Amino acid sequence: MLDSLLADPLLEDLSWSIMIVPPSGTPLLHDPDRLLRTASVGKLFLLTRTAELITEGSLDPAEELSRSTVEPVADSGLWQHLRTDTLPIADIATLIGAASDNWATNVLLRRVGLDSVQRLAATLCDGGSQLWDAVRDHRGPDQPETPARAAPGTS
């Protein structure tokens, strides 16, 4: 099945990787260790680290955070359309998980810390999947070309 898909000429010039683990347990693979540009995988690392901090008691899910502490980010998400500038961490995490909210991601990332999220990602995915930066509308030459990279064989 995967071989016939890979033979499709429409896929010839695309960069992609895949790892499918069916119930039989024998994975179907195509370049599973290739790191690809992605944004939302990094959000999963952020949410996982946030859950850890809440569970260990060092982060209060009711703590209010203001979106005015970071640059506005459009594209995906709901907070850019809401009238309130502050939300509790639990609601911010919900916006990220439910709507892949970019502005909420950056607000929570500022509170949790990029280094903290990167340390967690390195323990979960030793093959290079990582959150490299906040989400940005425009990237400058001194910023990573993408917020995150991931490989299905490691993430």
Side-chain angles (χ1 to χ4, degrees):
M1 172 176 88
L2 188 56
D3 291 334
S4 63
L5 179 63
L6 293 173
D8 188 327
L10 293 174
L11 299 178
E12 186 174 35
D13 294 327
L14 299 179
S15 294
W16 62 287
S17 64
I18 189 170
M19 182 167 109
I20 303 168
V21 182
S24 69
T26 305
L28 303 170
L29 308 169
H30 171 73
D31 210 359
D33 297 322
R34 174 184 276 186
L35 287 175
L36 298 172
R37 293 172 55 159
T38 178
S40 294
V41 167
K43 293 173 184 175
L44 296 176
F45 296 138
L46 173 60
L47 291 173
T48 301
R49 183 62 183 138
T50 300
E52 284 183 346
L53 292 170
I54 289 170
T55 300
E56 68 187 32
S58 55
L59 191 66
D60 180 357
E63 179 185 342
E64 298 268 332
L65 301 179
S66 174
R67 66 180 174 189
S68 66
T69 61
V70 300
E71 290 292 317
V73 185
D75 192 27
S76 69
L78 298 174
W79 203 357
Q80 63 185 321
H81 305 291
L82 298 180
R83 295 170 72 183
T84 186
D85 284 332
T86 61
L87 288 171
I89 287 174
D91 290 350
I92 292 170
T94 299
L95 286 175
I96 297 167
S100 193
D101 195 297
N102 288 336
W103 204 344
T105 297
N106 289 351
V107 170
L108 188 57
L109 183 60
R110 182 166 198 258
R111 174 62 177 87
V112 171
L114 181 60
D115 290 344
S116 176
V117 175
Q118 288 177 331
R119 283 191 302 276
L120 170 74
T123 65
L124 295 176
C125 304
D126 61 3
S129 297
Q130 186 58 268
L131 177 64
W132 297 111
D133 193 18
V135 182
R136 301 176 189 272
D137 283 336
H138 304 286
R139 296 197 165 273
D142 296 334
Q143 297 160 336
E145 66 177 328
T146 184
R149 289 191 181 271
T154 60
S155 56

